[in-house]
Amino acid sequence: MSRFPAIALLCAALGACTQTSRAPMTVEAVPRPQVYTLDSGDRLRIIVFGQDSLSNIYTVDASGKIAMPLVGAIPARGLTTQQLAKAIERKLAAGYVREPSVSVDVEAYRPFFILGEVRNPGQYPFVAGMTVQTAAAIAGGFTPRAMESEALVTRQAPGKAVTGPLPATYPIKPGDTIVIKERWF
């Protein structure tokens, strides 16, 4: 048997042993951080100019909405802060506030999760500009058995979770789950 078919058979056999409901990803297939979009767990500072009773800190709930006085629940999941500000302005302008002006800022991003070969696995607050390496550093650093060059990252893409190996210098997003694998040698 030649070398190539033997390797292909081995890869097919190993691939059949793994069962996952996530689609595999490559570095090119992972959505790179673009404009930040809101999701559950984000804490927002919303200021309605001239309306101190409406200005407050709001958290995006599990259903992806924020609940504000007067206007009720407003969908926030998948929106940018500017889009959410415009949506709040439209709701307030529909009979509550004349010519509302709204500002939305992210006060605290949703957390990221890190598992595997780090000293303190768990949930941590996201910091802008994070990479897999900085996430590991926040979790107490790599263990002696850690594969420091890459990690498995699971990211929510529209309608599904996408998982795959990524280099340690790859940027992560809030809500990502990072698994630091054990090295073989």
Side-chain angles (χ1 to χ4, degrees), residues 46-48 53-56 58 65-74 84 88-89 91-92 102 104:
I46 299 177
I47 299 170
V48 181
S53 61
L54 295 175
S55 298
N56 205 345
Y58 299 92
K65 298 177 183 178
I66 59 166
M68 289 186 69
L70 297 179
V71 294
I74 300 172
L84 180 59
I88 295 169
E89 286 175 357
K91 287 254 190 176
L92 289 171
V102 176
V104 177

Side-chain angles (χ1 to χ4, degrees), residues 132-154:
V132 171
Q133 284 177 327
T134 55
I138 288 171
F142 295 108
T143 66
R145 295 183 310 265
M147 180 187 295
E148 298 180 21
S149 61
E150 73 173 30
L152 287 176
V153 177
T154 301

Side-chain angles (χ1 to χ4, degrees), residues 68-90:
M68 289 186 69
L70 297 179
V71 294
I74 300 172
R77 177 176 286 140
L79 300 179
T80 65
T81 54
Q82 295 84 6
Q83 291 170 330
L84 180 59
K86 294 296 180 198
I88 295 169
E89 286 175 357
R90 283 192 298 275

